[in-house]
mmCIF file of all heavy atoms in Angstrom:
data_model
loop_
_atom_site.group_PDB
_atom_site.id
_atom_site.type_symbol
_atom_site.label_atom_id
_atom_site.label_comp_id
_atom_site.label_asym_id
_atom_site.label_seq_id
_atom_site.Cartn_x
_atom_site.Cartn_y
_atom_site.Cartn_z
ATOM 1 N N MET A 1 0.924 -1.238 0.058
ATOM 2 C CA MET A 1 0.009 0.053 -0.030
ATOM 3 C C MET A 1 0.839 1.212 0.010
ATOM 4 O O MET A 1 1.761 1.335 0.712
ATOM 5 C CB MET A 1 -0.890 -0.030 1.235
ATOM 6 C CG MET A 1 -1.782 1.182 1.268
ATOM 7 S SD MET A 1 -2.860 1.204 2.736
ATOM 8 C CE MET A 1 -4.133 0.068 2.339
ATOM 9 N N ASP A 2 0.608 2.241 -0.954
ATOM 10 C CA ASP A 2 1.332 3.441 -0.916
ATOM 11 C C ASP A 2 0.976 4.456 0.086
ATOM 12 O O ASP A 2 -0.314 4.600 0.389
ATOM 13 C CB ASP A 2 1.249 4.096 -2.233
ATOM 14 C CG ASP A 2 1.876 3.222 -3.428
ATOM 15 O OD1 ASP A 2 2.807 2.479 -3.030
ATOM 16 O OD2 ASP A 2 1.425 3.287 -4.603
ATOM 17 N N ASP A 3 1.818 5.100 0.665
ATOM 18 C CA ASP A 3 1.579 6.173 1.667
ATOM 19 C C ASP A 3 1.667 7.420 0.929
ATOM 20 O O ASP A 3 2.652 8.054 0.376
ATOM 21 C CB ASP A 3 2.549 6.131 2.813
ATOM 22 C CG ASP A 3 2.313 7.229 3.818
ATOM 23 O OD1 ASP A 3 1.153 7.732 3.803
ATOM 24 O OD2 ASP A 3 3.184 7.494 4.637
ATOM 25 N N HIS A 4 0.405 8.070 0.800
ATOM 26 C CA HIS A 4 0.328 9.319 -0.019
ATOM 27 C C HIS A 4 0.160 10.535 0.869
ATOM 28 O O HIS A 4 -0.330 11.664 0.573
ATOM 29 C CB HIS A 4 -0.829 9.272 -0.919
ATOM 30 C CG HIS A 4 -0.600 8.402 -2.028
ATOM 31 N ND1 HIS A 4 0.204 8.475 -2.994
ATOM 32 C CD2 HIS A 4 -1.240 7.185 -2.160
ATOM 33 C CE1 HIS A 4 0.228 7.490 -3.810
ATOM 34 N NE2 HIS A 4 -0.759 6.622 -3.322
ATOM 35 N N SER A 5 0.589 10.352 2.112
ATOM 36 C CA SER A 5 0.478 11.399 3.236
ATOM 37 C C SER A 5 1.511 12.625 2.866
ATOM 38 O O SER A 5 2.604 12.385 2.429
ATOM 39 C CB SER A 5 0.955 10.945 4.534
ATOM 40 O OG SER A 5 1.025 11.823 5.491
ATOM 41 N N HIS A 6 1.042 13.816 3.041
ATOM 42 C CA HIS A 6 1.809 14.985 2.682
ATOM 43 C C HIS A 6 2.707 15.293 3.944
ATOM 44 O O HIS A 6 3.536 16.230 3.870
ATOM 45 C CB HIS A 6 0.999 16.160 2.413
ATOM 46 C CG HIS A 6 0.219 16.003 1.100
ATOM 47 N ND1 HIS A 6 0.850 16.084 -0.171
ATOM 48 C CD2 HIS A 6 -1.063 15.715 0.773
ATOM 49 C CE1 HIS A 6 -0.038 15.879 -1.043
ATOM 50 N NE2 HIS A 6 -1.177 15.668 -0.474
ATOM 51 N N GLU A 7 2.587 14.588 5.064
ATOM 52 C CA GLU A 7 3.283 14.915 6.268
ATOM 53 C C GLU A 7 4.453 13.938 6.420
ATOM 54 O O GLU A 7 4.194 12.757 5.990
ATOM 55 C CB GLU A 7 2.380 14.902 7.521
ATOM 56 C CG GLU A 7 1.168 15.737 7.349
ATOM 57 C CD GLU A 7 0.870 16.514 8.599
ATOM 58 O OE1 GLU A 7 1.636 16.351 9.560
ATOM 59 O OE2 GLU A 7 -0.156 17.182 8.610
ATOM 60 N N PRO A 8 5.653 14.421 6.825
ATOM 61 C CA PRO A 8 6.704 13.464 6.976
ATOM 62 C C PRO A 8 6.464 12.292 7.995
ATOM 63 O O PRO A 8 6.829 11.200 7.560
ATOM 64 C CB PRO A 8 7.875 14.316 7.347
ATOM 65 C CG PRO A 8 7.399 15.704 7.422
ATOM 66 C CD PRO A 8 5.933 15.637 7.142
ATOM 67 N N ASP A 9 5.901 12.612 9.028
ATOM 68 C CA ASP A 9 5.582 11.644 9.975
ATOM 69 C C ASP A 9 4.312 11.987 10.622
ATOM 70 O O ASP A 9 4.365 12.784 11.715
ATOM 71 C CB ASP A 9 6.733 11.435 10.952
ATOM 72 C CG ASP A 9 6.558 10.292 11.934
ATOM 73 O OD1 ASP A 9 5.575 9.521 11.832
ATOM 74 O OD2 ASP A 9 7.375 10.017 12.825
ATOM 75 N N PRO A 10 3.131 11.500 10.349
ATOM 76 C CA PRO A 10 1.921 11.866 10.913
ATOM 77 C C PRO A 10 1.837 11.571 12.415
ATOM 78 O O PRO A 10 1.058 12.239 13.101
ATOM 79 C CB PRO A 10 0.805 10.948 10.153
ATOM 80 C CG PRO A 10 1.560 10.638 8.829
ATOM 81 C CD PRO A 10 3.031 10.551 9.132
ATOM 82 N N GLU A 11 2.527 10.567 13.016
ATOM 83 C CA GLU A 11 2.597 10.317 14.359
ATOM 84 C C GLU A 11 3.154 11.338 15.144
ATOM 85 O O GLU A 11 2.855 11.553 16.343
ATOM 86 C CB GLU A 11 3.289 8.962 14.665
ATOM 87 C CG GLU A 11 2.645 7.791 13.819
ATOM 88 C CD GLU A 11 1.198 7.473 14.336
ATOM 89 O OE1 GLU A 11 0.876 7.723 15.451
ATOM 90 O OE2 GLU A 11 0.363 7.265 13.495
ATOM 91 N N LYS A 12 3.957 12.282 14.550
ATOM 92 C CA LYS A 12 4.649 13.305 15.339
ATOM 93 C C LYS A 12 4.107 14.616 15.075
ATOM 94 O O LYS A 12 4.464 15.646 15.523
ATOM 95 C CB LYS A 12 6.154 13.459 14.940
ATOM 96 C CG LYS A 12 6.990 12.181 15.390
ATOM 97 C CD LYS A 12 8.461 12.380 14.982
ATOM 98 C CE LYS A 12 9.226 11.149 15.554
ATOM 99 N NZ LYS A 12 10.634 11.303 15.137
ATOM 100 N N ARG A 13 2.973 14.692 14.477
ATOM 101 C CA ARG A 13 2.209 15.976 14.098
ATOM 102 C C ARG A 13 1.699 16.533 15.431
ATOM 103 O O ARG A 13 1.232 15.866 16.392
ATOM 104 C CB ARG A 13 1.025 15.707 13.183
ATOM 105 C CG ARG A 13 0.326 16.899 12.817
ATOM 106 C CD ARG A 13 -0.714 16.607 11.880
ATOM 107 N NE ARG A 13 -1.825 15.801 12.444
ATOM 108 C CZ ARG A 13 -2.676 15.170 11.703
ATOM 109 N NH1 ARG A 13 -2.682 15.175 10.482
ATOM 110 N NH2 ARG A 13 -3.544 14.373 12.367
ATOM 111 N N VAL A 14 1.833 17.858 15.531
ATOM 112 C CA VAL A 14 1.360 18.558 16.788
ATOM 113 C C VAL A 14 0.275 19.546 16.282
ATOM 114 O O VAL A 14 0.344 20.291 15.397
ATOM 115 C CB VAL A 14 2.548 19.289 17.394
ATOM 116 C CG1 VAL A 14 1.933 20.168 18.601
ATOM 117 C CG2 VAL A 14 3.673 18.434 17.840
ATOM 118 N N THR A 15 -0.875 19.421 17.066
ATOM 119 C CA THR A 15 -1.923 20.477 16.616
ATOM 120 C C THR A 15 -1.889 21.487 17.636
ATOM 121 O O THR A 15 -1.294 21.501 18.681
ATOM 122 C CB THR A 15 -3.384 19.667 16.760
ATOM 123 O OG1 THR A 15 -3.490 19.064 18.066
ATOM 124 C CG2 THR A 15 -3.365 18.511 15.734
ATOM 125 N N ALA A 16 -2.660 22.685 17.325
ATOM 126 C CA ALA A 16 -2.568 23.836 17.899
ATOM 127 C C ALA A 16 -2.941 23.811 19.337
ATOM 128 O O ALA A 16 -2.327 24.351 20.231
ATOM 129 C CB ALA A 16 -3.424 25.044 17.245
ATOM 130 N N PRO A 17 -4.014 23.129 19.769
ATOM 131 C CA PRO A 17 -4.260 23.106 21.212
ATOM 132 C C PRO A 17 -3.231 22.459 22.027
ATOM 133 O O PRO A 17 -3.165 22.616 23.265
ATOM 134 C CB PRO A 17 -5.617 22.234 21.214
ATOM 135 C CG PRO A 17 -6.254 22.424 19.953
ATOM 136 C CD PRO A 17 -5.061 22.517 18.973
ATOM 137 N N MET A 18 -2.356 21.700 21.398
ATOM 138 C CA MET A 18 -1.214 20.894 22.221
ATOM 139 C C MET A 18 -0.166 21.712 22.417
ATOM 140 O O MET A 18 0.761 21.489 23.208
ATOM 141 C CB MET A 18 -1.001 19.617 21.548
ATOM 142 C CG MET A 18 -2.133 18.632 21.502
ATOM 143 S SD MET A 18 -1.859 17.150 20.490
ATOM 144 C CE MET A 18 -0.189 16.598 20.935
ATOM 145 N N GLN A 19 0.050 22.854 21.550
ATOM 146 C CA GLN A 19 1.292 23.601 21.760
ATOM 147 C C GLN A 19 1.230 24.576 22.845
ATOM 148 O O GLN A 19 0.120 25.132 23.160
ATOM 149 C CB GLN A 19 1.474 24.338 20.332
ATOM 150 C CG GLN A 19 1.681 23.536 19.154
ATOM 151 C CD GLN A 19 1.632 24.273 17.860
ATOM 152 O OE1 GLN A 19 1.254 25.484 17.851
ATOM 153 N NE2 GLN A 19 2.238 23.700 16.861
ATOM 154 N N GLU A 20 2.385 24.805 23.399
ATOM 155 C CA GLU A 20 2.455 25.772 24.597
ATOM 156 C C GLU A 20 2.387 27.221 24.046
ATOM 157 O O GLU A 20 2.875 27.409 22.911
ATOM 158 C CB GLU A 20 3.724 25.499 25.408
ATOM 159 C CG GLU A 20 3.618 24.148 26.018
ATOM 160 C CD GLU A 20 4.887 23.893 26.859
ATOM 161 O OE1 GLU A 20 5.523 24.890 27.250
ATOM 162 O OE2 GLU A 20 5.226 22.743 27.245
ATOM 163 N N PHE A 21 2.050 28.144 24.819
ATOM 164 C CA PHE A 21 2.099 29.478 24.467
ATOM 165 C C PHE A 21 2.436 30.329 25.695
ATOM 166 O O PHE A 21 2.194 29.929 26.759
ATOM 167 C CB PHE A 21 0.762 29.965 23.872
ATOM 168 C CG PHE A 21 -0.393 29.805 24.565
ATOM 169 C CD1 PHE A 21 -0.842 30.858 25.540
ATOM 170 C CD2 PHE A 21 -1.257 28.702 24.660
ATOM 171 C CE1 PHE A 21 -2.004 30.724 26.305
ATOM 172 C CE2 PHE A 21 -2.234 28.449 25.363
ATOM 173 C CZ PHE A 21 -2.772 29.520 26.176
ATOM 174 N N GLY A 22 2.999 31.466 25.437
ATOM 175 C CA GLY A 22 3.380 32.352 26.620
ATOM 176 C C GLY A 22 2.719 33.629 26.724
ATOM 177 O O GLY A 22 1.817 33.856 26.052
ATOM 178 N N GLY A 23 3.272 34.431 27.595
ATOM 179 C CA GLY A 23 2.652 35.785 27.743
ATOM 180 C C GLY A 23 2.717 36.693 26.596
ATOM 181 O O GLY A 23 1.680 37.381 26.459
ATOM 182 N N ARG A 24 3.627 36.589 25.663
ATOM 183 C CA ARG A 24 3.577 37.355 24.475
ATOM 184 C C ARG A 24 2.431 37.096 23.646
ATOM 185 O O ARG A 24 1.757 37.906 23.185
ATOM 186 C CB ARG A 24 4.995 37.005 23.771
ATOM 187 C CG ARG A 24 5.035 37.855 22.506
ATOM 188 C CD ARG A 24 6.485 37.632 21.896
ATOM 189 N NE ARG A 24 6.618 38.489 20.674
ATOM 190 C CZ ARG A 24 6.308 38.148 19.486
ATOM 191 N NH1 ARG A 24 5.826 36.898 19.200
ATOM 192 N NH2 ARG A 24 6.499 38.878 18.386
ATOM 193 N N GLU A 25 2.105 35.763 23.454
ATOM 194 C CA GLU A 25 1.077 35.394 22.641
ATOM 195 C C GLU A 25 -0.310 35.816 23.254
ATOM 196 O O GLU A 25 -1.203 36.237 22.569
ATOM 197 C CB GLU A 25 1.089 33.906 22.352
ATOM 198 C CG GLU A 25 2.167 33.386 21.363
ATOM 199 C CD GLU A 25 3.437 33.113 22.103
ATOM 200 O OE1 GLU A 25 3.553 33.318 23.420
ATOM 201 O OE2 GLU A 25 4.460 32.837 21.424
ATOM 202 N N VAL A 26 -0.395 35.680 24.559
ATOM 203 C CA VAL A 26 -1.574 36.183 25.191
ATOM 204 C C VAL A 26 -1.762 37.689 25.071
ATOM 205 O O VAL A 26 -2.855 38.149 24.780
ATOM 206 C CB VAL A 26 -1.483 35.896 26.818
ATOM 207 C CG1 VAL A 26 -2.683 36.502 27.546
ATOM 208 C CG2 VAL A 26 -1.576 34.395 26.908
ATOM 209 N N GLY A 27 -0.596 38.483 25.121
ATOM 210 C CA GLY A 27 -0.732 39.934 24.876
ATOM 211 C C GLY A 27 -1.155 40.294 23.444
ATOM 212 O O GLY A 27 -1.896 41.203 23.346
ATOM 213 N N ILE A 28 -0.632 39.612 22.503
ATOM 214 C CA ILE A 28 -0.994 39.826 21.097
ATOM 215 C C ILE A 28 -2.477 39.455 20.991
ATOM 216 O O ILE A 28 -3.195 40.183 20.267
ATOM 217 C CB ILE A 28 -0.084 38.981 20.182
ATOM 218 C CG1 ILE A 28 1.294 39.537 20.154
ATOM 219 C CG2 ILE A 28 -0.670 38.969 18.712
ATOM 220 C CD1 ILE A 28 2.376 38.617 19.505
ATOM 221 N N GLY A 29 -2.881 38.428 21.525
ATOM 222 C CA GLY A 29 -4.385 37.974 21.406
ATOM 223 C C GLY A 29 -5.165 39.018 22.049
ATOM 224 O O GLY A 29 -6.315 39.393 21.506
ATOM 225 N N ALA A 30 -4.862 39.576 23.214
ATOM 226 C CA ALA A 30 -5.625 40.595 23.782
ATOM 227 C C ALA A 30 -5.749 41.949 23.041
ATOM 228 O O ALA A 30 -6.669 42.552 22.888
ATOM 229 C CB ALA A 30 -5.090 40.824 25.245
ATOM 230 N N ALA A 31 -4.590 42.324 22.465
ATOM 231 C CA ALA A 31 -4.458 43.418 21.632
ATOM 232 C C ALA A 31 -5.311 43.294 20.310
ATOM 233 O O ALA A 31 -6.100 44.319 19.974
ATOM 234 C CB ALA A 31 -3.058 43.773 21.290
ATOM 235 N N VAL A 32 -5.335 42.199 19.819
ATOM 236 C CA VAL A 32 -6.146 41.914 18.510
ATOM 237 C C VAL A 32 -7.671 41.948 18.837
ATOM 238 O O VAL A 32 -8.445 42.604 18.199
ATOM 239 C CB VAL A 32 -5.754 40.576 17.890
ATOM 240 C CG1 VAL A 32 -6.717 40.240 16.783
ATOM 241 C CG2 VAL A 32 -4.342 40.698 17.280
ATOM 242 N N THR A 33 -8.074 41.382 20.008
ATOM 243 C CA THR A 33 -9.447 41.417 20.494
ATOM 244 C C THR A 33 -9.847 42.768 20.811
ATOM 245 O O THR A 33 -10.973 43.227 20.511
ATOM 246 C CB THR A 33 -9.431 40.541 21.806
ATOM 247 O OG1 THR A 33 -9.181 39.202 21.556
ATOM 248 C CG2 THR A 33 -11.057 40.618 22.323
ATOM 249 N N LEU A 34 -9.052 43.619 21.419
ATOM 250 C CA LEU A 34 -9.379 45.001 21.731
ATOM 251 C C LEU A 34 -9.559 45.829 20.463
ATOM 252 O O LEU A 34 -10.521 46.551 20.379
ATOM 253 C CB LEU A 34 -8.308 45.640 22.574
ATOM 254 C CG LEU A 34 -8.583 47.101 23.083
ATOM 255 C CD1 LEU A 34 -9.812 47.108 23.867
ATOM 256 C CD2 LEU A 34 -7.339 47.602 23.835
ATOM 257 N N ILE A 35 -8.642 45.659 19.458
ATOM 258 C CA ILE A 35 -8.731 46.474 18.235
ATOM 259 C C ILE A 35 -10.054 45.882 17.539
ATOM 260 O O ILE A 35 -10.783 46.793 16.975
ATOM 261 C CB ILE A 35 -7.519 46.146 17.280
ATOM 262 C CG1 ILE A 35 -6.315 46.911 18.023
ATOM 263 C CG2 ILE A 35 -7.723 46.583 15.974
ATOM 264 C CD1 ILE A 35 -5.067 46.526 17.439
ATOM 265 N N GLY A 36 -10.263 44.561 17.561
ATOM 266 C CA GLY A 36 -11.594 44.228 16.938
ATOM 267 C C GLY A 36 -12.797 44.716 17.451
ATOM 268 O O GLY A 36 -13.806 45.109 16.803
ATOM 269 N N LEU A 37 -12.897 44.679 18.868
ATOM 270 C CA LEU A 37 -14.019 45.410 19.446
ATOM 271 C C LEU A 37 -14.181 46.829 19.305
ATOM 272 O O LEU A 37 -15.287 47.241 19.187
ATOM 273 C CB LEU A 37 -13.850 45.060 21.121
ATOM 274 C CG LEU A 37 -14.086 43.542 21.476
ATOM 275 C CD1 LEU A 37 -13.745 43.534 22.878
ATOM 276 C CD2 LEU A 37 -15.509 43.122 21.314
ATOM 277 N N LEU A 38 -13.031 47.466 19.186
ATOM 278 C CA LEU A 38 -13.153 48.920 18.924
ATOM 279 C C LEU A 38 -13.691 49.133 17.482
ATOM 280 O O LEU A 38 -14.423 50.026 17.318
ATOM 281 C CB LEU A 38 -11.766 49.588 19.000
ATOM 282 C CG LEU A 38 -11.241 49.910 20.479
ATOM 283 C CD1 LEU A 38 -9.878 50.317 20.418
ATOM 284 C CD2 LEU A 38 -12.161 50.867 21.057
ATOM 285 N N LEU A 39 -13.207 48.325 16.567
ATOM 286 C CA LEU A 39 -13.689 48.520 15.142
ATOM 287 C C LEU A 39 -15.176 48.071 15.016
ATOM 288 O O LEU A 39 -15.905 48.729 14.286
ATOM 289 C CB LEU A 39 -12.807 47.630 14.224
ATOM 290 C CG LEU A 39 -11.397 48.175 13.994
ATOM 291 C CD1 LEU A 39 -10.627 47.114 13.126
ATOM 292 C CD2 LEU A 39 -11.488 49.573 13.298
ATOM 293 N N ALA A 40 -15.572 47.048 15.814
ATOM 294 C CA ALA A 40 -16.951 46.574 15.605
ATOM 295 C C ALA A 40 -18.007 47.413 16.333
ATOM 296 O O ALA A 40 -19.058 47.589 15.883
ATOM 297 C CB ALA A 40 -17.014 45.085 16.179
ATOM 298 N N TYR A 41 -17.587 47.957 17.476
ATOM 299 C CA TYR A 41 -18.577 48.761 18.392
ATOM 300 C C TYR A 41 -18.379 50.377 18.508
ATOM 301 O O TYR A 41 -19.208 51.083 18.298
ATOM 302 C CB TYR A 41 -18.670 48.178 19.714
ATOM 303 C CG TYR A 41 -19.269 46.725 19.686
ATOM 304 C CD1 TYR A 41 -18.355 45.588 19.795
ATOM 305 C CD2 TYR A 41 -20.529 46.506 19.416
ATOM 306 C CE1 TYR A 41 -18.865 44.354 19.712
ATOM 307 C CE2 TYR A 41 -21.049 45.166 19.303
ATOM 308 C CZ TYR A 41 -20.207 44.084 19.466
ATOM 309 O OH TYR A 41 -20.680 42.846 19.411
ATOM 310 N N ALA A 42 -17.039 50.576 18.774
ATOM 311 C CA ALA A 42 -16.744 52.037 19.110
ATOM 312 C C ALA A 42 -16.889 52.870 17.745
ATOM 313 O O ALA A 42 -17.478 54.014 17.832
ATOM 314 C CB ALA A 42 -15.363 52.153 19.697
ATOM 315 N N VAL A 43 -16.332 52.484 16.713
ATOM 316 C CA VAL A 43 -16.245 53.342 15.478
ATOM 317 C C VAL A 43 -17.697 53.527 15.016
ATOM 318 O O VAL A 43 -18.126 54.616 14.685
ATOM 319 C CB VAL A 43 -15.345 52.637 14.378
ATOM 320 C CG1 VAL A 43 -15.481 53.379 13.066
ATOM 321 C CG2 VAL A 43 -13.859 52.686 14.942
ATOM 322 N N PRO A 44 -18.491 52.483 14.861
ATOM 323 C CA PRO A 44 -19.969 52.672 14.318
ATOM 324 C C PRO A 44 -20.670 53.646 15.351
ATOM 325 O O PRO A 44 -21.544 54.466 14.949
ATOM 326 C CB PRO A 44 -20.563 51.398 14.239
ATOM 327 C CG PRO A 44 -19.410 50.418 14.155
ATOM 328 C CD PRO A 44 -18.224 50.963 14.848
ATOM 329 N N PHE A 45 -20.475 53.453 16.648
ATOM 330 C CA PHE A 45 -21.124 54.213 17.638
ATOM 331 C C PHE A 45 -20.765 55.745 17.467
ATOM 332 O O PHE A 45 -21.546 56.681 17.498
ATOM 333 C CB PHE A 45 -20.832 53.731 19.038
ATOM 334 C CG PHE A 45 -21.408 54.698 20.098
ATOM 335 C CD1 PHE A 45 -22.705 54.579 20.379
ATOM 336 C CD2 PHE A 45 -20.653 55.590 20.879
ATOM 337 C CE1 PHE A 45 -23.375 55.388 21.296
ATOM 338 C CE2 PHE A 45 -21.182 56.334 21.861
ATOM 339 C CZ PHE A 45 -22.569 56.212 22.121
ATOM 340 N N LEU A 46 -19.459 56.101 17.250
ATOM 341 C CA LEU A 46 -18.967 57.418 17.078
ATOM 342 C C LEU A 46 -19.387 58.101 15.771
ATOM 343 O O LEU A 46 -19.577 59.342 15.631
ATOM 344 C CB LEU A 46 -17.387 57.425 17.241
ATOM 345 C CG LEU A 46 -16.883 57.097 18.536
ATOM 346 C CD1 LEU A 46 -15.321 57.042 18.554
ATOM 347 C CD2 LEU A 46 -17.275 58.054 19.673
ATOM 348 N N VAL A 47 -19.521 57.196 14.697
ATOM 349 C CA VAL A 47 -19.962 57.767 13.433
ATOM 350 C C VAL A 47 -21.474 58.276 13.464
ATOM 351 O O VAL A 47 -21.787 59.018 12.647
ATOM 352 C CB VAL A 47 -19.751 56.602 12.291
ATOM 353 C CG1 VAL A 47 -20.354 57.044 10.970
ATOM 354 C CG2 VAL A 47 -18.320 56.351 12.245
ATOM 355 N N THR A 48 -22.229 57.668 14.313
ATOM 356 C CA THR A 48 -23.666 58.030 14.382
ATOM 357 C C THR A 48 -23.812 59.461 14.915
ATOM 358 O O THR A 48 -24.965 59.963 14.756
ATOM 359 C CB THR A 48 -24.450 57.074 15.279
ATOM 360 O OG1 THR A 48 -23.853 56.975 16.527
ATOM 361 C CG2 THR A 48 -24.437 55.673 14.651
ATOM 362 N N PHE A 49 -22.853 59.933 15.507
ATOM 363 C CA PHE A 49 -22.915 61.332 16.040
ATOM 364 C C PHE A 49 -22.732 62.413 14.993
ATOM 365 O O PHE A 49 -21.940 62.473 14.185
ATOM 366 C CB PHE A 49 -21.992 61.690 17.278
ATOM 367 C CG PHE A 49 -22.499 60.957 18.549
ATOM 368 C CD1 PHE A 49 -21.890 59.786 18.964
ATOM 369 C CD2 PHE A 49 -23.554 61.384 19.135
ATOM 370 C CE1 PHE A 49 -22.233 59.157 20.118
ATOM 371 C CE2 PHE A 49 -24.090 60.667 20.285
ATOM 372 C CZ PHE A 49 -23.431 59.564 20.744
#
């Protein structure tokens, strides 16, 4: 049987929920969330005036 997998070793594959993350990634996520909330809610609210 031929192995047509695109991954070198599927047994060693790591998915995102298994990867560790640090304070830098948390900070970036918080900043992106804050910018998204400002764009979604604050800007339209300010434009209505």
Side-chain angles (χ1 to χ4, degrees):
M1 179 181 283
D2 292 332
D3 182 16
H4 295 288
S5 172
H6 294 285
E7 306 222 4
D9 188 1
E11 298 299 320
K12 293 184 179 181
R13 182 177 63 194
V14 178
T15 58
M18 294 170 51
Q19 295 174 344
E20 295 182 17
F21 58 92
R24 180 175 183 268
E25 288 83 5
V26 172
I28 291 172
V32 169
T33 300
L34 181 60
I35 292 170
L37 288 172
L38 284 173
L39 289 174
Y41 294 104
V43 172
F45 178 73
L46 293 173
V47 172
T48 58
F49 287 108

